[in-house]
C-alpha cells in the first residue's frame, strides 16, 4: 500500500472535530431529539455491520451493504422501535429481548464476499452493487433469499491495491444510468485508469467517462430534480469537504487523474491544470471545465464536518418535516447530519449548509430515505475514527411531528441574502442588527492538504427587512464577495413565541451573485 | 534442574529496583498505527523518576506528534483550546503551548522518527498522552502510568524443614528443623543449611492499601503455594523449573496474613513471589526476581490480532486483494481446508492452497488496502497470472501475457453464479465463446487423496488451434492420467512454496514449458498435492 505523502505544515482547516470535549461517545442532543428521533437498530450476530450503503427494496425491506462485503436484507426496519444495546464482548448491538417481537428488526444475509459494497441500487428486480472495481447485478433466481447470480455489468475502471481506491455507486439516474465515483490512488495521483473520475454506466454496461477532477468521494446522490452530486473530502485541492455538482464534461477540481483524458475522447482535450495556491473563483475564470463546489461543508470544531458522505434528498413531501426537497449529508467523522439548501444562479449550483442533527452512534457512510420520510443511515469508524464512539451502527432518523424553529432556506440576492424560517419570527429581534453576525471567507485552492480559512471580509449589515408575514427576513450587506463562503450566526433572532433558532448558523457558498 | 525457562517480556523496563539498570535509560518505542488513527500502545508503564529513552516512530501516512500531559488533563479539551487560536497553533506545528504539557515530540512527517530522552515524573499517577494534530485526539491517545512500588511483607518468619518430596508435604504435620525471623522481610532461600531436599514455610503480614483487585505471582523451582488468609491463591506444586504463575484476587484494605510454602527436590532452586495493582507496579515480595521478567501489559496490539475466515458449512467467498492473485481476486475456501483464488483480471485460476483460508485483518481492521497472502500452506500457482485460453499459430508456443490494469484482449468478465451448495462457477466470454469455470473440492486437506476438480465448459465456436493452459514455466513428468508438475518456487509474504503438484487431465500436451490441452467443449482437470499435508506443514511456518 502506497502511503500518500502529506506536506507540512498541514493547514489549520483540518481542525479537530471536537465540539464535545468531554465525551468520546456522543449522545443525542435533547434539544434536537424533540424534533428528530434516532433509533439504533440491533445488528446481526457474528458480523460487523459496517454499513457502507443502504437501499430500499420492495415490500418495505431495506438492503444494507457493508465494508466487509456483505449484503443484508432487513425487515420491519420502518416500524422497529426496539433499540439495540451495545455489547462490547460480542461487539454487536444486541436486541432488547424484552421488547415485543413486532418491534424487532430482522435480518437475512443476501450476499457476502464482495469487495466493499459502496453502492446499492434496486432496479429491474435486481440489486446492483458497486465494489472497488465493478458494478454487479445480484439476483436471487431460486427464491431462497440469497443471491445466486453475481453478474458483472461493468468492470472498466482500474484498481491497484491501494486502500484509497474506493468506488461509490449511485442509484440509477433519471436516464437509468449508474454513476461510479472513483477515488484517486492516495491523495495526489491516479495509478490506474479513471481513478479520480466520475463515470456513467449505461444500462447495456457501456461506460462513459463523465467528469474528471474527483479526489476522495464519500457519497453520490441526486437532488429533487435528479441532478447528480457527490461529496468530496478535504485534502489536496480541497480546502474543506464539499458538495459538488456533477455536470457532464466538467472538471471537479483535483487534476491528479487528468491523464485519463487520453482514454476519454468524448471529454475533449485535457483542461489546463489549476494554478497552485490560487482561489477557486480565479481558476474557474480561466478553466472553463472547472465547476466550483456547490457548497463547502465548512471544516472545524463545532462547524459542519470533517468527512462528508451520503447525499439524501428529502422527497417525502413533508413526512420528514418542513425541509422538502432539501439535501441531508451525514459526516463520518462528526457522526452528525447537516442540511443543505441549493439554488441555481447564473446556471451554477450553490447554496447553504446548516447543522441539523448530532448523536449518531458511529461514522455514517451509507444512507437512504424513503417517501415515508424514514431516514436510514449506517456506517463505521474504521480507518478514521468517528465521534459516535462505536465501530459500526445502523440507525433510523425520523421526524417526531414537531416543527423546529429553524432557518428554512437562504437565498442569494444582488445585495445580500433572504432568510426564510420554519415559523414566524419575532419582528423585533429579527430586525435588530445585533441579532446577526456575518463573515465572508474562502479557502486557498492548492495542491497542499487542506487550507486555512482566508481572505476574511467582515461585511456590514446595511438594512434588515422583516416580511409582513414574519416568515422571511431580507438582509442587505455593504459587500458580497463572489466565491466566498458567507457565514451567518442568527443568534439573536427569536420566534414569535420567543424561542431561539435551533441551529442558528448558516454557511452560504456564493459562487455567483445574482443580478436580481 | 533445568535453567529458568525463557519468559514473556515486553518492550518496557526490567527490574525497576535494580540499581544497575537505573543507570541505563529505559528504551520505549511508541509507534503510530498505519491508517488507524491510533498509537500502537494505549498504555506505557514507567517507574517514578526513571530515565527514559523514547523512540517515537510515525509509519502512518499522516503527520502525528505525541504530547504528554499532567494527570487529569482532558486531552481533547486541551487540543480544542489550542485550536481557539488556530493561526498560532499552526505556527507551532500544532504543539500546544499549555502549562499542562510537560513533554512533547516534534510533529513528525510520515515515515519519520524521533528519539526523546526524559526523566519520568517522580509523582506516581496517570499521565495522558495524545496526538495534538487537529482531529486526532479523539482516538489517538493513551496513558503513561508512573507507578511506584507497592507494600512488601512485614513481620516475616520462616520455618525450615527437610525431606525428600516430589510434592509439597503437609507442613502442619512436620516439625521444623529451624525457625526464625527474616530481617529484610523478603522471601528467600539462602539459609545456607541445605541445597537439596528441604522445605520452607514463610508467614508474614501484608498491608493492603485499598480494597481492590490485586494480581499475585509466584515462580518456584520446585513447588510453591501461596496462601492468603487461609485461602490458597496459587498452587504450583511438583518438581519443575521456575515459571511465572499468576492469579487475581480481591482484597479488602488492611492487614492480611500471607503464607508461602515451598520445597526443593534437587538441582537448581528458586523462589519468587510478587504482586501488583492498578495503583502500583509489580512489587517483589522475594529477594529473587526472575531475570528479564516484567508483567506483560494487558494492552493488546489490535493491528496484530487476526480475523481468520473459516468456512464452516459452505464454501466462503472473499473478494479482495490476495497476494499472488492480482488485484481482482476472488478467494474461495471450502470447509475441508482446500482453497483457491480465481482472478477476474486474467479469467483464470490463480492460486490454490491447503489449510487455513484467509486472514481478513489487513482488509477489515484498517482502510482496506494491501495484498494479503493465503493463510494456509502448499500454495500453488499453476499458470502464474496469464489468461486461460489462446489460439496459437502453429509452432509458436508463446502464451499471451498479462500486465495489471491492461484489460486482457478478447475477454469479457461476466461474473459468477453459485450452485445450491454455494460453489461458484466463474463466467466469461472469449472471442464469442461462453466459458464457465467451476472448481470444487474433493476431500479434506489432511487426506492425501484430496484434490481440486475443475470443470471448464466452452460454449460456442472454438477457433482452430485453440488451447487451454494448465501450467507453465515448469517441468512436466508424465504420470498415470496426467503430469507431475515442478513449477517455479513461489515467494509470498507468508512463506516460500515448492509449487509442485499433480495434474490429471485427458489429452494434454507439453509444448516447451507449457502444459496445454486443446480446447474442447468440456475439460476436466484435477489438481492434487504430492504429499500428505503433514510432510509439508512446517514449510509454511514463517
Amino acid at each position: 500500500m502506497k502511503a500518500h505523502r502529506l506536506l507540512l505544515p498541514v493547514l489549520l482547516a483540518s481542525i479537530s472535530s471536537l465540539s464535545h470535549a468531554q465525551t468520546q461517545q456522543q449522545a443525542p442532543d435533547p434539544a434536537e431529539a424533540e424534533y428528530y428521533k434516532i433509533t439504533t437498530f440491533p445488528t446481526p450476530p457474528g458480523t460487523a455491520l459496517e454499513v457502507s450503503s443502504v437501499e430500499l427494496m420492495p415490500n418495505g425491506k431495506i438492503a444494507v451493504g457493508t465494508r466487509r462485503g456483505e449484503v443484508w436484507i432487513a425487515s420491519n426496519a420502518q416500524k422497529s422501535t426496539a433499540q439495540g444495546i451495545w455489547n462490547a464482548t460480542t461487539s454487536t448491538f444486541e436486541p432488547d429481548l424484552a421488547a415485543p417481537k413486532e418491534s424487532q428488526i430482522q435480518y437475512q444475509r443476501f450476499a457476502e464476499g464482495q469487495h466493499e459494497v459502496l453502492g446499492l441500487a434496486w432496479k429491474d428486480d435486481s440489486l446492483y452493487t458497486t465494489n472497488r472495481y465493478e458494478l454487479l447485478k445480484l439476483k436471487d433466481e431460486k427464491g431462497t433469499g440469497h443471491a445466486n447470480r453475481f453478474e458483472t455489468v461493468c468492470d472498466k475502471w482500474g484498481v491497484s491495491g491501494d486502500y484509497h481506491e474506493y468506488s461509490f455507486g449511485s442509484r440509477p439516474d433519471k436516464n437509468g444510468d449508474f454513476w461510479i465515483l472513483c477515488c484517486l490512488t492516495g491523495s495526489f495521483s491516479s495509478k490506474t485508469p479513471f481513478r479520480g473520475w466520475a463515470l456513467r454506466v449505461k444500462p447495456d454496461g457501456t461506460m462513459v467517462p463523465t467528469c474528471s477532477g474527483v479526489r476522495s468521494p464519500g457519497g453520490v446522490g441526486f437532488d429533487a430534480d435528479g441532478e447528480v452530486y457527490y461529496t468530496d473530502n478535504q485534502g489536496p485541492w480541497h480546502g474543506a469537504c464539499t458538495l459538488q455538482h456533477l455536470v457532464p464534461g466538467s472538471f471537479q477540481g483535483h487534476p491528479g487523474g487528468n491523464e485519463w483524458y487520453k482514454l476519454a475522447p468524448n471529454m475533449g482535450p485535457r483542461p489546463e491544470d489549476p494554478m497552485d495556491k490560487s482561489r477557486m473563483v480565479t481558476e474557474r475564470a480561466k478553466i472553463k471545465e472547472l465547476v466550483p463546489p456547490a457548497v463547502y461543508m465548512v471544516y472545524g470544531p463545532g462547524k459542519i464536518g470533517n468527512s462528508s458522505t451520503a447525499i439524501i434528498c428529502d422527497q417525502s413531501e413533508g413526512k420528514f418535516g418542513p425541509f422538502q426537497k432539501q439535501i441531508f449529508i451525514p459526516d463520518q467523522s462528526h457522526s452528525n447530519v447537516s442540511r443543505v439548501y441549493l439554488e441555481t444562479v447564473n446556471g451554477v449550483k450553490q447554496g447553504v449548509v446548516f447543522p441539523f442533527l448530532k448523536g449518531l452512534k458511529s461514522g455514517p457512510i451509507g444512507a437512504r430515505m424513503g417517501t415515508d420520510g424514514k431516514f436510514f443511515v449506517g456506517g463505521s469508524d474504521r480507518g478514521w475514527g468517528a465521534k459516535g464512539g462505536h465501530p459500526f451502527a445502523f440507525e433510523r432518523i425520523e421526524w417526531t411531528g414537531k416543527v423546529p424553529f429553524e432557518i428554512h432556506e437562504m437565498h442569494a440576492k444582488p445585495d445580500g441574502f433572504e432568510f426564510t424560517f420554519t415559523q414566524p419570527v419575532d419582528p423585533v429581534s429579527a430586525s435588530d442588527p445585533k441579532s446577526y453576525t456575518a463573515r465572508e471567507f474562502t479557502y486557498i485552492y492548492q495542491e497542499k492538504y487542506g487550507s486555512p480559512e482566508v481572505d476574511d471580509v467582515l461585511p456590514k449589515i446595511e438594512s434588515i427587512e422583516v416580511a409582513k408575514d414574519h416568515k422571511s427576513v431580507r438582509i442587505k450587506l455593504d459587500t458580497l464577495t463572489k466565491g466566498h463562503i458567507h457565514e451567518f450566526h442568527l443568534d439573536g433572532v427569536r420566534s414569535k413565541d420567543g424561542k431561539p433558532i435551533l441551529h442558528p448558523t448558516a454557511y452560504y457558498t456564493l459562487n455567483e451573485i445574482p443580478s436580481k | 534442574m533445568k535453567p529458568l525457562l525463557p519468559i514473556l517480556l515486553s518492550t518496557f523496563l526490567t527490574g525497576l529496583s535494580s540499581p544497575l539498570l537505573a543507570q541505563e535509560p529505559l528504551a520505549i518505542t511508541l509507534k503510530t498505527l498505519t491508517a488507524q488513527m491510533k498509537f500502537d500502545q494505549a498504555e506505557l508503564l514507567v517507574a517514578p523518576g526513571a530515565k527514559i529513552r523514547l523512540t517515537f516512530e510515525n509509519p502512518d501516512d499522516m503527520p502525528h506528534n505525541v504530547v504528554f500531559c499532567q494527570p487529569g488533563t482532558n486531552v481533547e479539551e486541551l487540543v480544542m483550546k489550542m485550536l481557539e487560536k488556530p493561526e498560532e497553533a499552526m505556527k507551532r506545528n500544532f504543539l500546544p503551548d499549555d502549562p499542562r504539557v510537560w513533554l512533547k515530540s516534534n510533529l513528525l512527517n510520515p515515515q519519520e522518527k524521533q528519539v526523546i530522552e526524559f526523566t519520568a515524573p517522580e509523582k506516581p499517577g496517570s499521565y495522558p498522552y495524545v496526538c495534538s494534530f487537529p482531529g486526532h485526539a479523539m482516538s489517538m491517545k493513551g496513558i503513561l502510568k508512573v507507578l511506584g512500588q507497592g507494600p512488601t511483607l512485614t513481620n516475616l518468619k520462616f520455618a525450615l524443614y527437610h525431606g525428600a518430596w516430589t510434592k509439597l508435604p503437609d507442613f502442619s504435620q512436620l516439625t521444623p528443623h529451624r525457625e526464625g525471623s527474616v530481617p529484610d522481610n523478603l522471601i528467600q532461600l539462602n539459609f545456607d543449611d541445605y541445597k537439596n531436599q528441604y522445605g520452607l514455610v514463610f508467614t508474614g503480614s501484608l498491608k493492603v492499601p485499598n480494597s481492590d483487585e490485586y494480581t499475585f505471582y509466584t515462580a518456584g523451582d520446585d513447588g510453591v503455594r501461596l496462601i492468603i488468609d487461609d485461602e490458597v491463591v496459587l498452587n504450583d506444586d511438583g518438581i519443575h523449573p521456575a515459571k511465572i504463575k499468576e492469579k487475581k484476587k480481591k482484597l479488602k484494605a488492611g492487614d492480611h496474613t500471607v503464607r508461602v510454602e515451598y520445597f526443593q527436590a534437587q538441582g537448581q532452586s528458586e523462589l519468587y513471589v510478587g504482586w501488583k495493582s492498578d495503583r502500583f507496579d509489580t512489587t517483589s515480595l522475594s529477594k529473587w526476581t526472575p531475570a528479564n521478567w516484567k508483567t506483560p501489559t494487558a494492552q493488546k496490539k489490535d493491528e496484530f490480532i487476526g480475523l481468520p475466515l473459516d468456512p464452516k458449512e459452505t464454501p466462503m467467498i472473499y473478494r479482495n486483494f490476495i497476494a499472488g492473485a492480482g488485484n481482482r481476486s476472488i478467494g474461495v475456501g471450502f470447509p475441508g481446508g482446500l482453497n483457491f483464488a480465481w482472478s477476474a483480471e486474467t479469467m483464470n485460476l490463480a492460486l490454490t492452497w491447503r489449510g487455513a483460508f484467509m486472514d481478513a485483518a489487513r482488509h477489515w481492521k484498517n482502510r482496506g488496502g494491501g495484498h494479503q497472502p493465503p493463510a494456509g500452506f502448499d500454495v500453488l500457482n499453476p499458470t502464474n497470472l496469464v489468461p486461460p485460453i489462446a489460439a496459437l499459430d502453429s509452432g509458436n508456443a508463446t502464451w499471451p501475457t498479462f500486465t495489471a490494469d491492461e484489460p486482457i484482449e478478447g475477454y469479457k468478465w461476466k461474473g459468477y453464479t453459485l450452485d445450491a451448495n454455494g460453489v461458484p462457477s466463474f463466467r466469461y466470454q472469449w472471442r464469442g465463446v461462453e466459458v464457465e469455470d467451476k472448481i470444487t473440492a474433493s476431500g479434506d486437506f489432511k487426506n492425501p487423496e484430496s484434490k481440486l476438480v475443475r470443470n471448464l465448459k466452452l460454449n460456442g465456436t472454438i477457433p482452430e488451434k485453440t488451447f487451454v493452459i494448465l501450467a507453465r514455466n515448469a517441468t512436466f513428468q508424465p504420470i498415470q492420467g496426467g503430469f507431475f508438475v515442478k513449477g517455479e518456487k513461489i515467494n509470498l509474504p507468508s512463506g516460500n512454496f515448492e509449487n509442485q503438484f499433480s495434474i490429471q487431465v485427458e489429452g494434454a500436451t507439453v509444448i516447451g514449458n507449457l502444459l496445454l490441452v486443446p480446447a474442447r467443449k468440456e475439460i476436466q482437470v484435477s489438481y492434487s498435492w504430492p504429499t500428505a499435508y503433514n510432510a509439508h506443514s512446517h514449510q509454511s511456518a514463517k
Side-chain angles (χ1 to χ4, degrees):
Chain A
M1 175 161 91
K2 277 274 191 304
H4 57 269
R5 249 177 74 242
L6 302 184
L7 307 172
L8 284 185
V10 174
L11 292 155
L12 66 104
S14 59
I15 267 167
S16 139
S17 59
L18 313 167
S19 62
H20 290 263
Q22 295 302 320
T23 52
Q24 184 166 354
Q25 289 185 8
Q26 194 187 220
D29 180 323
E32 293 173 342
E34 197 178 335
Y35 309 101
Y36 288 92
K37 183 184 163 200
I38 302 171
T39 302
T40 304
F41 293 120
T43 57
T47 192
L49 196 76
E50 297 181 315
V51 179
S52 48
S53 47
V54 184
E55 175 60 318
L56 306 173
M57 304 276 287
N59 306 322
K61 292 184 175 173
I62 310 289
V64 176
T66 77
R67 294 178 77 185
R68 291 192 175 188
E70 293 177 322
V71 179
W72 291 83
I73 308 291
S75 310
N76 204 32
Q78 278 84 358
K79 291 187 189 138
S80 165
T81 50
Q83 294 272 356
I85 302 154
W86 180 251
N87 180 328
T89 309
T90 60
S91 279
T92 52
F93 283 95
E94 294 191 336
D96 175 5
L97 294 173
K101 189 158 185 291
E102 57 273 18
S103 73
Q104 305 279 8
I105 191 169
Q106 274 110 38
Y107 294 97
Q108 182 171 13
R109 198 166 69 176
F110 185 70
E112 57 285 307
Q114 304 302 298
H115 201 162
E116 307 195 37
V117 185
L118 286 165
L120 269 183
W122 179 258
K123 188 193 173 198
D124 303 336
D125 291 331
S126 297
L127 193 59
Y128 286 75
T129 67
T130 304
N131 72 23
R132 278 185 182 262
Y133 53 84
E134 273 180 22
L135 175 66
L136 289 147
K137 185 162 137 182
L138 273 53
K139 286 190 85 107
D140 170 20
E141 296 167 317
K142 307 269 165 73
T144 60
H146 191 282
N148 72 307
R149 182 173 289 274
F150 298 72
E151 197 172 291
T152 303
V153 179
C154 180
D155 66 343
K156 301 290 179 234
W157 68 94
V159 66
S160 73
D162 184 277
Y163 83 81
H164 204 277
E165 289 172 345
Y166 299 107
S167 302
F168 289 82
S170 76
R171 292 185 290 117
D173 69 8
K174 51 193 171 189
N175 303 315
D177 298 344
F178 293 95
W179 289 67
I180 310 291
L181 272 290
C182 297
C183 284
L184 284 169
T185 311
S187 272
F188 293 90
S189 65
S190 179
K191 277 189 6 193
T192 172
F194 298 114
R195 286 285 152 196
W197 283 65
L199 311 167
R200 265 180 301 163
V201 178
K202 298 277 179 198
D204 68 358
T206 50
M207 186 181 87
V208 185
T210 302
C211 306
S212 64
V214 169
R215 190 188 93 80
S216 182
V220 51
F222 309 104
D223 69 11
D225 302 324
E227 285 297 303
V228 190
Y229 299 81
Y230 84 103
T231 51
D232 212 321
N233 274 268
Q234 191 217 34
W237 302 105
H238 280 267
C241 298
T242 50
L243 176 66
Q244 311 237 152
H245 183 204
L246 287 168
V247 180
S250 63
F251 165 54
Q252 296 285 325
H254 190 309
N258 280 4
E259 73 165 292
W260 307 118
Y261 271 91
K262 70 187 181 196
L263 300 180
N266 65 308
M267 288 284 286
R270 172 182 173 149
E272 175 191 344
D273 279 4
M275 200 176 80
D276 195 14
K277 297 188 173 57
S278 181
R279 300 290 180 270
M280 180 55 74
V281 68
T282 314
E283 296 306 302
R284 59 176 280 239
K286 293 193 308 205
I287 306 169
K288 66 178 193 314
E289 296 88 347
L290 178 58
V291 170
V295 176
Y296 282 97
M297 308 294 286
V298 177
Y299 223 84
K303 296 186 178 180
I304 295 301
N306 283 11
S307 185
S308 302
T309 55
I311 296 169
I312 301 302
C313 182
D314 173 5
Q315 295 186 292
S316 70
E317 298 184 336
K319 297 193 185 70
F320 192 66
F323 307 113
Q324 286 97 302
K325 298 188 174 181
Q326 295 195 11
I327 287 172
F328 294 86
I329 300 182
D331 188 281
Q332 190 191 10
S333 169
H334 281 207
S335 304
N336 68 4
V337 179
S338 299
R339 176 168 64 89
V340 165
Y341 171 76
L342 288 173
E343 51 186 11
T344 309
V345 178
N346 301 337
V348 176
K349 294 288 181 193
Q350 61 183 41
V352 59
V353 59
F354 311 97
F356 174 69
L357 185 68
K358 299 180 281 294
L360 295 172
K361 290 280 193 295
S362 187
I365 301 169
R368 184 82 161 88
M369 191 198 295
T371 51
D372 61 357
K374 300 284 197 291
F375 185 157
F376 296 95
V377 58
S380 110
D381 73 343
R382 172 146 63 88
W384 288 271
K387 204 163 169 178
H390 296 84
F392 55 86
F394 180 39
E395 300 181 281
R396 183 186 63 216
I397 303 168
E398 63 204 308
W399 183 42
T400 61
K402 286 177 78 174
V403 174
F405 179 45
E406 291 275 45
I407 303 167
H408 188 234
E409 294 175 357
M410 180 175 172
H411 308 121
K413 297 288 172 187
D415 51 5
F417 292 94
E418 179 186 59
F419 294 91
T420 66
F421 298 89
T422 56
Q423 292 170 8
V425 295
D426 149 44
V428 178
S429 64
S431 50
D432 182 353
K434 290 203 289 293
S435 295
Y436 302 81
T437 52
R439 172 185 168 232
E440 304 169 6
F441 67 91
T442 189
Y443 295 103
I444 305 169
Y445 182 40
Q446 60 180 352
E447 190 177 3
K448 256 189 211 172
Y449 201 98
S451 161
E453 296 174 358
V454 294
D455 305 346
D456 271 33
V457 174
L458 294 176
K460 217 177 98 201
I461 294 177
E462 291 200 319
S463 71
I464 302 170
E465 194 185 318
V466 179
K468 280 196 192 120
D469 63 1
H470 297 176
K471 292 272 285 229
S472 68
V473 170
R474 180 79 166 77
I475 290 184
K476 288 186 184 171
L477 301 177
D478 66 339
T479 174
L480 290 179
T481 312
K482 184 175 166 172
H484 270 41
I485 295 146
H486 290 62
E487 172 181 356
F488 279 85
H489 298 273
L490 278 61
D491 292 353
V493 174
R494 293 292 176 270
S495 68
K496 188 177 61 181
D497 49 2
K499 279 195 305 251
I501 300 171
L502 186 57
H503 299 100
T505 303
Y507 301 96
Y508 190 103
T509 300
L510 192 67
N511 290 321
E512 293 286 327
I513 301 170
S515 53
K516 54 182 180 182
Chain B
M1 291 262 50
K2 291 188 184 124
L4 186 73
L5 287 183
I7 296 182
L8 304 160
L9 37 138
S10 72
T11 50
F12 310 142
L13 70 173
T14 57
L16 276 182
S17 51
S18 161
L20 243 180
L21 286 175
Q23 311 285 322
E24 191 63 21
L26 165 70
I28 296 180
T29 302
L30 182 67
K31 289 183 187 176
T32 64
L33 290 182
T34 306
Q36 291 188 54
M37 209 61 100
K38 278 179 189 163
F39 292 114
D40 70 337
Q41 290 167 97
E43 189 180 303
L44 300 173
L45 202 56
V46 298
K51 296 264 185 289
I52 312 290
R53 183 185 291 133
L54 174 72
T55 305
F56 176 46
E57 295 180 21
N58 181 24
D60 195 16
D61 56 7
M62 286 185 173
H64 295 292
N65 63 30
V66 59
V67 168
F68 291 86
C69 309
Q70 293 298 337
T73 304
N74 180 328
V75 292
E76 295 182 21
E77 186 268 331
L78 176 103
V79 174
M80 274 245 295
K81 183 160 175 277
M82 169 184 84
L83 293 174
E84 284 168 6
K85 292 177 182 163
E87 298 285 352
E88 282 183 27
M90 193 171 62
K91 281 181 197 146
R92 285 198 310 273
N93 272 335
F94 299 106
L95 289 161
D97 178 21
D98 191 299
R100 290 172 291 178
V101 172
W102 57 272
L103 181 73
K104 53 198 171 194
S105 72
N106 298 331
L107 183 61
L108 299 194
N109 270 317
Q111 312 304 331
E112 287 184 353
K113 75 173 181 184
Q114 185 191 0
V115 176
I116 308 164
E117 296 213 358
F118 68 98
T119 304
E122 290 291 349
K123 195 176 161 203
S126 291
Y127 293 78
Y129 57 89
V130 65
C131 172
S132 66
F133 190 82
H136 297 187
M138 205 157 50
S139 56
M140 212 163 167
K141 57 190 174 185
I143 303 284
L144 174 79
K145 279 197 175 167
V146 178
L147 291 179
Q149 296 281 293
T152 52
L153 295 164
T154 53
N155 204 16
L156 186 67
K157 294 187 170 57
F158 75 93
L160 179 69
Y161 301 81
H162 56 126
W165 302 294
T166 56
K167 279 187 173 303
L168 284 164
D170 182 355
F171 286 108
S172 65
Q173 304 299 312
L174 301 174
T175 310
H177 171 71
R178 186 158 83 83
E179 288 179 284
S181 294
V182 184
D184 60 6
N185 280 308
L186 289 171
I187 291 167
Q188 51 199 282
L189 302 181
N190 50 341
F191 294 93
D192 287 336
D193 300 61
Y194 297 93
K195 291 261 190 284
N196 293 315
Q197 297 188 339
Y198 67 93
L200 276 164
V201 175
F202 294 91
T203 49
S205 179
L206 188 60
K207 195 173 197 66
V208 170
N210 307 88
S211 297
D212 201 350
E213 186 175 67
Y214 295 85
T215 309
F216 287 88
Y217 305 93
T218 61
D221 180 346
D222 295 292
V224 55
R225 183 180 290 147
L226 171 67
I227 299 155
I228 298 175
D229 300 335
D230 299 326
E231 188 195 322
V232 176
V233 177
L234 281 157
N235 188 19
D236 185 18
D237 203 352
I239 295 172
H240 47 65
K243 192 174 178 182
I244 293 289
K245 300 278 171 185
E246 67 172 86
K247 185 78 182 275
K248 286 184 168 38
K249 180 161 174 62
K250 284 187 178 147
L251 289 174
K252 289 218 164 83
D255 288 324
H256 294 263
T257 308
V258 171
R259 177 180 169 97
V260 175
E261 300 180 355
Y262 166 84
F263 84 94
Q264 152 70 346
Q266 53 191 350
Q268 191 152 341
S269 60
E270 311 281 16
L271 177 58
Y272 168 72
V273 181
W275 70 322
K276 72 168 270 201
S277 81
D278 285 345
R279 299 168 203 247
F280 59 81
D281 195 13
T282 311
T283 301
S284 181
L285 304 178
S286 59
K287 206 161 201 167
W288 179 77
T289 300
N292 296 327
W293 183 68
K294 168 77 186 113
T295 51
T297 46
Q299 185 61 37
K300 283 176 183 162
K301 293 187 183 179
D302 198 43
E303 191 178 38
F304 304 110
I305 300 174
L307 271 179
L309 300 181
D310 185 12
K312 286 273 195 281
E313 281 150 17
T314 53
M316 188 177 261
I317 291 188
Y318 184 65
R319 301 192 71 171
N320 219 306
F321 303 127
I322 299 175
N327 296 322
R328 299 171 189 234
S329 35
I330 307 174
V332 180
F334 291 91
L338 299 182
N339 315 280
F340 69 91
W342 202 89
S343 163
E345 276 170 322
T346 63
M347 309 299 150
N348 205 350
L349 172 67
L351 300 175
T352 71
W353 66 96
R354 299 200 278 184
F357 177 41
M358 290 296 301
D359 178 359
R362 176 194 297 270
H363 300 130
W364 290 359
K365 289 211 160 187
N366 58 40
R367 294 176 184 172
H371 292 78
Q372 176 69 19
F377 54 90
D378 274 352
V379 180
L380 313 175
N381 63 359
T383 60
N384 196 8
L385 293 175
V386 291
I389 307 174
L392 296 182
D393 296 335
S394 56
N396 180 358
T398 309
W399 200 259
T401 54
F402 160 78
T403 42
D405 297 316
E406 299 242 340
I408 49 172
E409 224 184 294
Y411 286 85
K412 186 171 191 237
W413 163 234
K414 297 183 75 175
Y416 60 94
T417 49
L418 300 179
D419 71 12
N421 299 318
V423 180
S425 292
F426 303 100
R427 299 149 56 79
Y428 57 91
Q429 221 178 48
W430 175 77
R431 295 200 191 173
V433 180
E434 300 286 340
V435 187
E436 210 179 300
D437 187 355
K438 182 175 185 178
I439 299 163
T440 43
S442 164
D444 180 281
F445 80 97
K446 292 175 186 170
N447 178 347
E449 305 294 311
S450 66
K451 58 189 177 184
L452 286 166
V453 180
R454 182 180 188 189
N455 275 287
L456 279 155
K457 285 185 185 163
L458 286 73
N459 196 353
T461 311
I462 302 170
E464 291 215 350
K465 290 179 185 156
T466 296
F467 293 89
V468 172
I469 190 166
L470 300 179
R472 67 178 189 123
N473 297 343
T475 59
F476 307 102
Q477 181 191 334
I479 53 170
Q480 179 70 36
F483 293 88
F484 182 72
V485 183
K486 286 186 179 172
E488 287 178 342
K489 283 191 184 179
I490 306 169
N491 299 316
L492 288 173
S494 56
N496 302 324
F497 303 97
E498 290 296 322
N499 200 18
Q500 296 184 5
F501 52 98
S502 302
I503 283 186
Q504 303 279 315
V505 64
E506 249 179 56
T509 53
V510 174
I511 302 180
N513 65 355
L514 308 177
L515 181 64
L516 304 175
V517 60
R520 53 180 190 250
K521 259 184 151 17
E522 274 201 59
I523 300 168
Q524 193 183 84
V525 195
S526 66
Y527 302 82
S528 55
W529 289 266
T531 50
Y533 84 99
N534 51 0
H536 275 256
S537 57
H538 63 277
Q539 160 192 321
S540 67
K542 209 186 155 186

